[in-house]
Amino acid sequence: MNLMDTKPVTAADYASDQEVRWCPGCGDYAILKVVKNVLAEIARPRDEVVFVSGIGCAARFPYYLSTYGFHTIHGRAAAVATGVKLANPGLDVWVIGGDGDFMSIGGNHTLHALRRNVDLNMLLFNNAIYGLTKGQSSPTSPIGTRSPTTPNGSVEQPVNALAFALGAGAKFVARGADTLQTHLPTVLKRAHENKGASFVEILQNCIVYADGAFGAINDRSESHNATIRLEHGQPMIFGKEEDKGLVWNEKAQEFRAVALADTPEQQLAVHDETNIQRAFALARLEQPDFPVALGVLYASDAPEYAHARGFTAKRKPFDREALKSLL
Amino acid sequence: MTTIIDTRPASGAPATVVRFAGDSGDGIQLAGHEFAKSTADAQADFMTFPDYPAEIRAPQGTLFGVSAFQIQFGADDVLTPGDEADVLVAFNPAALITNLQHLKQGGLLVVDESHFDARGLKKAGIESNPLEDGSLGAHQLIRIDIVKRTLEALVSFGLGRKQATRAKNFWALGLVYWLFGRELKSTEAWLEQKFAKDPLTAKANIAALRAGHAHGETMEIAAFADIAGPARPNTAQKAKIISGAHAMALGIAAVAALAERDVLYCSYPITPASSLLHALARLEGGVKTFQAEDEIASACAAIGASYAGSIGITASSGPGLALKTEALGLALTAELPLIAIDVQRAGPSTGMPTKPEQSDLQMAIFGRHGESPLPVLAPSTPADCFSIMVEAAQIAVEAMTPVIVLSDAYLANAASDWIPPDVGALPGIVIPAQDFNGDFQPYARDDATLARPWVPPGTPGLAHRIGGIEKESGSGNISYDPGNHAEMTRLRAEKIDRIAARRPAVELDIACEDADLLVIGWGSTWGAITQAVAELNEEGQKIAHLHLRQLWPLPRGLEELIAKFPVTVTAELNTGQLAALLRSEYLAPIKSISQVTGQPFRVSDLKRNLLARLEN
């Protein structure tokens, strides 16, 4: 291996030599492609980039990249990644997990990585099912999901990942979808730019156990009718024909979907990604009554954990002299 | 008041034991700690042990709210806090009746009689007043209304009754200082420093201390001054008082300095391990600390730190180690250096969180999923808690493995005098050189140690992937090949076995020609076993003592050593876990002395049990 080979520039340079083993048609392929493109665009040397994952289909992700990678244990990727970041804050650390990892067995670690604002890019691949263990209902499965563990349909209320993240005190909360190959990179680049915990839910289709779980959202031809692409400072307009919008009801603290034909444009809500109340409301917009909110729902500056703790490159190493003064 | 009392210790032993007992809000631990400092200043050898309840402030005067502190000191090596007290200071009826069992027959009993009214007796659940009913006849009783005396001493300070009463622990301490001919100066200086922002409180406590001391002179009792020995030789450096927890914290700091690597210490609050995190958090800058959201996260963050090139350390007690076991499996198969500390307590489950036990031994050695051997060490004294951390770190980085260190609630809290090591003379922790000559494989192994290379992210040109899935030997790529798994399992085990070859061979702590019995202990019981064996041998018995600091892999020469003795017995604070381990490893007929009372061994109990083994 050439020791000087540290400046890859194309997406292909971020691919490892390992054969990708997801099911044909899995949404993870689409996400892998986007991530490689984004890494090439960021152009950070791959030796300074680390992907830490938990367990599940999504968690195989690090094996397929040429960066440093650590495939850990179920649910604990955020905790391991926190240790990586505290040890070496200079690294670019990404956390990959599914809805089991982030929202079920590792829900506690998601909560605390977010509230501490550890500088991690946390990508939740939400496919609303346990894939690798053969199709059990997951904490994000809709009520009524039939699965080997819920043969009569699940009765559990699914968790809203973004509302959870906001509730945990996350300072960067965004959503994308696997098939939206021009939209998702913009979200991931924003997540990477944010210094602190960046939480991105990627709606990902499991073609084997939960095909179509997100309906039209990740159907490229219908997506614009089922989603709204948020842009800071822009009026909230959606629909394939850009003929619908959202209006904010201040009193009720909720959005209302309207037809632009009936509503003057100045009445439309303008997206303010620093507004936490609206971010909660956006996180909860659901089909079929509302478009699902995509893009950056919430972003606000806050001290990043490792720096707040003083664990920076400037930190003086602890040496024998220092030890002597302690004893 | 004129009381003439014979205060010579009943046993004539060369060491003295003092025990303070009162409400958990009475400042017992504080008074005890000051007495220990004064003992260090007097250059006596000593060992202390706090015996306190799990409740923070149980209702006043109740039996379950009693907090006690015991210290043994003397001119010679003092190895335990002592079986029985020569002097017991009891602040209320509950403290008296729960602690009387710890006082020697004929011992000196100082009782604050202020709470021996109907209300105080009722809280302690007794009907008859022991000060009046003759039940204390076996002891030398001194009754003093310490509250009243303290209030009298502080009358000029204009404090409220409640505030003035708080100084009663210093009044009693002053009396005990007088008993042992101790100087008041260093405690006075400490009070002035401690209450620098509140000089009135400092002065009031000092006044109480002096009043208690002056009261001693009026009592016409012979002082104990001749019992605490003179200075030990060669003590150019002043001894510090060190608890096991404090020594361990300093040992962790030493790991950072001697390895020239950052340490990330990750922990979740749990008794009795929390004091380590407190101590390290105070050493700002020395060690990075991380209070995680749970036990699992603390293990995982430590693993992440080790993966990234720091030395990750995680600590807990038994229930927490149980939660960390999956993560230990990852560290073990990812082959990363890591230290997991278990400050053992009486279990299972919540058990008795402040009480010591050695019942996590087999969990430490065997308690993981899959074939997952890892090294297990146990320090034997508070001071050894320093050295063991440096040794654990050396093993971890040299063999690229997690290492478990077994302390316990006794070792963490017991304190003794300690001369810190010469930092310049301490050997460095050697991290093997990583030299690949352009041929890097994440799971290639060192010929001698079988360790894989440690290549943290950020290392140019060597990006690679690792994980918990079985890896192909060499490349580290995912492998489900049957032969490869068998080979990797063998390599992981042999790597741990080879650690024993690089470590010292087994050596007796007390050698004895033609011994009739070998007693093997491990961990915190070293002092009690050493004392018991030394006393029995002085009395004409022939017993050898071996104390294991390295529980896995077992040290070189152990099997041969055991074979030399007609009878081998383990002494442990569990139901015989080491005995079972040695039997299964060596097919040797190991006998067992075990105790699971949540208390450390008493020397007298050990002696009786060892004698019984000799007679069998």
Side-chain angles (χ1 to χ4, degrees):
Chain A
M1 185 172 290
N2 180 354
L3 290 179
M4 300 310 290
D5 172 24
T6 59
K7 290 236 184 274
V9 283
T10 71
D13 290 320
Y14 284 93
S16 76
D17 60 356
Q18 297 294 295
E19 190 187 339
V20 183
R21 296 188 195 184
W22 288 312
C23 305
C26 175
D28 288 349
Y29 284 98
I31 302 172
L32 179 61
K33 188 175 159 204
V34 169
V35 168
K36 282 191 287 198
N37 281 325
V38 167
L39 289 174
E41 209 169 318
I42 294 167
R44 194 73 197 263
R46 58 190 174 193
D47 307 314
E48 297 168 11
V49 181
V50 190
F51 277 76
V52 182
S53 65
I55 292 293
C57 297
R60 298 295 178 98
F61 207 84
Y63 290 115
Y64 307 138
L65 293 172
S66 63
T67 65
Y68 280 92
F70 195 3
H71 180 219
T72 68
I73 43 181
H74 201 17
R76 318 301 172 200
V80 173
T82 296
V84 171
K85 197 71 191 180
L86 295 185
N88 186 352
L91 296 169
D92 184 17
V93 185
W94 299 69
V95 181
I96 306 293
D99 32 313
D101 259 338
F102 272 56
M103 290 290 116
S104 196
I105 190 168
N108 196 30
H109 311 307
T110 306
L111 161 66
H112 292 280
L114 293 175
R115 80 169 174 90
R116 289 188 186 107
N117 206 27
V118 185
D119 187 17
L120 305 171
N121 306 305
M122 301 171 68
L123 310 189
L124 160 61
F125 295 14
N126 181 6
N127 60 7
I129 205 78
Y130 284 95
L132 201 59
T133 50
K134 313 246 184 299
Q136 299 83 357
S137 67
S138 91
T140 54
S141 298
I143 291 174
T145 299
R146 290 179 187 274
S147 79
T149 52
T150 53
N152 299 317
S154 118
V155 299
E156 295 177 16
Q157 167 83 28
V159 64
N160 180 317
L162 296 196
F164 172 89
L166 289 166
K171 302 299 180 201
F172 182 96
V173 171
R175 190 188 273 139
D178 52 5
T179 50
L180 307 181
Q181 295 274 306
T182 49
H183 181 259
L184 186 56
T186 63
V187 174
L188 296 188
K189 276 184 278 180
R190 281 289 311 278
H192 181 265
E193 282 162 21
N194 175 56
K195 293 295 161 224
S198 306
F199 188 80
V200 182
E201 180 188 30
I202 303 174
L203 305 176
Q204 175 242 320
N205 194 49
C206 171
I207 198 165
V208 175
Y209 294 111
D211 195 20
F214 300 107
I217 297 168
N218 38 14
D219 174 340
R220 266 179 289 184
S221 61
E222 287 302 314
S223 179
H224 275 287
N225 288 330
T227 65
I228 181 164
R229 318 289 166 89
L230 301 169
E231 280 186 56
H232 184 60
Q234 297 299 313
M236 296 187 183
I237 297 174
F238 69 101
K240 207 189 267 183
E241 312 298 333
E242 300 198 340
D243 56 348
K244 287 169 274 199
L246 294 178
V247 172
W248 178 248
N249 181 335
E250 186 64 31
K251 197 172 169 203
Q253 292 283 302
E254 64 185 24
F255 286 103
R256 191 160 46 89
V258 295
L260 290 195
D262 311 331
T263 314
E265 183 162 338
Q266 61 268 32
Q267 283 189 15
L268 291 180
V270 173
H271 182 44
D272 173 6
E273 61 186 27
T274 66
N275 185 322
I276 185 80
Q277 271 76 27
R278 290 207 190 177
F280 271 109
L282 285 168
R284 292 199 190 94
L285 297 182
E286 282 179 11
Q287 286 269 279
D289 298 334
F290 288 97
V292 168
L294 301 182
V296 179
L297 280 71
Y298 182 67
S300 92
D301 284 340
E304 185 276 317
Y305 184 68
H307 283 78
R309 293 291 313 277
F311 298 168
T312 60
K314 283 186 222 149
R315 190 174 168 275
K316 192 171 169 280
F318 186 73
D319 57 14
R320 283 178 188 253
E321 277 309 305
L323 176 63
K324 211 169 168 181
S325 70
L326 280 183
L327 298 185
Chain B
M1 177 161 49
T2 304
T3 319
I4 298 176
I5 286 175
D6 176 8
T7 57
R8 283 172 302 175
S11 67
T16 305
V17 178
V18 177
R19 188 173 177 97
F20 299 88
D23 247 351
S24 50
D26 278 345
I28 299 300
Q29 303 304 327
L30 192 68
H33 189 70
E34 280 307 300
F35 189 75
K37 275 162 62 185
S38 134
T39 307
D41 289 346
Q43 298 206 316
D45 208 16
F46 67 91
M47 187 130 185
T48 71
F49 184 59
D51 190 1
Y52 55 84
E55 291 75 15
I56 302 301
R57 288 278 166 92
Q60 255 186 347
T62 57
L63 297 177
F64 48 91
V66 173
S67 171
F69 180 97
Q70 186 163 313
I71 177 170
Q72 175 163 236
F73 56 93
D76 292 333
D77 279 348
V78 170
L79 306 180
T80 73
D83 287 4
E84 293 181 306
D86 299 285
V87 179
L88 171 64
V89 182
F91 282 91
N92 65 27
L96 174 65
I97 63 171
T98 52
N99 282 274
L100 197 58
Q101 57 177 319
H102 299 291
L103 183 63
K104 268 181 195 149
Q105 286 283 312
L108 181 64
L109 176 59
V110 179
V111 177
D112 177 4
E113 62 184 6
S114 63
H115 295 294
F116 283 75
D117 50 12
R119 192 157 159 258
L121 298 177
K122 194 181 168 203
K123 277 187 188 164
I126 48 178
E127 279 166 17
S128 168
N129 185 349
L131 302 182
E132 311 287 354
D133 65 11
S135 61
L136 302 175
H139 305 293
Q140 308 170 61
L141 175 65
I142 300 179
R143 333 169 23 161
I144 309 170
D145 191 332
I146 293 179
V147 169
K148 190 175 155 209
R149 300 275 175 187
T150 305
L151 292 173
E152 283 168 7
L154 302 188
V155 74
S156 65
F157 286 83
L159 300 169
R161 184 185 164 87
K162 195 176 168 192
Q163 201 187 351
T165 306
R166 279 204 202 120
K168 71 177 179 182
N169 57 337
F170 281 96
W171 194 99
L173 185 64
L175 177 66
V176 176
Y177 277 5
W178 181 82
L179 276 177
F180 294 99
R182 296 280 170 79
E183 297 285 334
L184 305 185
K185 276 183 298 194
S186 70
T187 297
E188 290 179 358
W190 177 80
L191 280 166
E192 276 164 3
Q193 188 200 341
K194 165 101 179 162
F195 296 105
K197 288 182 185 154
D198 183 4
L200 184 66
T201 300
K203 285 191 178 116
N205 278 310
I206 290 168
L209 182 76
R210 288 179 182 171
H213 192 262
H215 186 85
E217 290 173 19
T218 69
M219 287 169 51
E220 297 184 23
I221 58 173
F224 277 82
D226 54 334
I227 297 167
R232 283 161 294 156
N234 306 323
T235 48
Q237 202 179 349
K238 199 176 165 185
K240 287 190 161 203
I241 304 175
I242 193 117
S243 68
H246 190 194
M248 194 166 265
L250 293 173
I252 290 166
V255 168
L258 300 179
E260 297 176 9
R261 289 273 174 139
D262 271 349
V263 165
L264 183 69
Y265 179 86
C266 308
S267 184
Y268 179 75
I270 184 170
T271 302
S274 301
S275 49
L276 270 173
L277 180 58
H278 302 172
L280 287 164
R282 275 197 301 271
L283 303 181
E284 278 183 55
V287 167
K288 291 178 178 173
T289 60
F290 176 57
Q291 180 181 327
E293 58 270 27
D294 59 32
E295 296 287 359
I296 294 170
S298 79
C300 288
I303 290 171
S306 289
Y307 170 65
S310 293
I311 296 175
I313 302 182
T314 184
S316 188
S317 187
L321 187 66
L323 284 164
K324 294 179 201 293
T325 54
E326 188 195 14
L328 285 176
L330 175 67
L332 190 148
T333 195
E335 301 191 43
L336 289 168
L338 184 83
I339 303 174
I341 299 162
D342 175 2
V343 187
Q344 299 168 98
R345 65 192 210 189
S349 191
T350 305
M352 300 194 287
T354 59
K355 307 297 179 191
E357 204 162 85
Q358 297 182 305
S359 44
D360 294 342
L361 176 64
Q362 294 215 351
M363 172 169 77
I365 297 175
F366 301 117
R368 281 168 298 283
H369 56 288
E371 295 290 347
S372 49
L374 54 71
V376 178
L377 306 180
S380 48
T381 64
D384 193 26
C385 291
F386 178 89
S387 321
I388 208 90
M389 293 312 300
V390 177
E391 289 176 43
Q394 180 63 62
I395 291 172
V397 297
E398 194 170 274
M400 291 291 283
T401 180
V403 177
I404 291 179
V405 174
L406 291 176
S407 175
D408 64 40
Y410 168 75
L411 212 44
N413 290 312
S416 65
D417 48 323
W418 184 54
I419 306 284
D422 173 2
V423 172
L426 289 173
I429 293 170
V430 183
I431 296 170
Q434 312 288 332
D435 184 8
F436 309 109
N437 295 322
D439 180 27
F440 169 68
Q441 290 204 89
Y443 278 79
R445 289 179 191 279
D446 181 87
D447 289 341
T449 63
L450 296 181
R452 78 176 192 91
W454 190 14
V455 178
T459 311
L462 299 181
H464 63 282
R465 276 65 56 194
I466 62 169
I469 300 186
E470 185 61 283
K471 291 148 289 286
E472 183 180 65
S473 184
S475 76
N477 290 331
I478 292 176
S479 170
Y480 288 90
D481 178 76
N484 178 73
H485 177 56
E487 175 65 0
M488 288 294 273
T489 303
R490 185 192 68 77
L491 283 166
R492 286 189 287 260
E494 190 178 340
K495 182 179 78 167
I496 302 307
D497 287 343
R498 286 192 187 186
I499 291 166
R502 299 193 294 276
R503 301 262 307 162
V506 75
E507 199 174 330
L508 287 169
D509 289 71
I510 298 179
C512 176
E513 283 284 306
D514 307 323
D516 300 313
L517 179 75
L518 169 66
V519 54
I520 305 181
W522 64 277
S524 70
T525 56
W526 177 83
I529 298 175
T530 302
Q531 184 74 29
V533 171
E535 287 182 20
L536 284 171
N537 286 350
E538 259 175 48
E539 291 161 21
Q541 305 297 337
K542 289 182 169 180
I543 303 176
H545 172 208
L546 171 68
H547 214 74
L548 296 179
R549 296 172 75 251
Q550 179 187 322
L551 280 313
W552 199 266
L554 287 165
R556 280 184 290 131
L558 179 56
E559 184 172 16
E560 297 78 2
L561 184 80
I562 289 173
K564 286 181 188 164
F565 294 90
V567 181
T568 298
V569 60
T570 65
E572 317 173 63
L573 301 175
N574 58 40
T575 58
Q577 296 191 17
L578 177 63
L581 177 72
L582 296 178
R583 285 178 204 132
S584 71
E585 283 299 302
Y586 302 138
L587 298 177
I590 310 288
K591 293 184 162 62
S592 162
I593 294 171
S594 78
Q595 176 184 302
V596 283
T597 56
Q599 293 291 327
F601 277 129
R602 287 154 55 112
V603 173
S604 52
D605 291 340
L606 270 177
K607 285 174 73 177
R608 203 174 55 251
N609 278 280
L610 287 169
L611 276 177
R613 295 293 169 183
L614 282 168
E615 283 157 14
N616 282 347

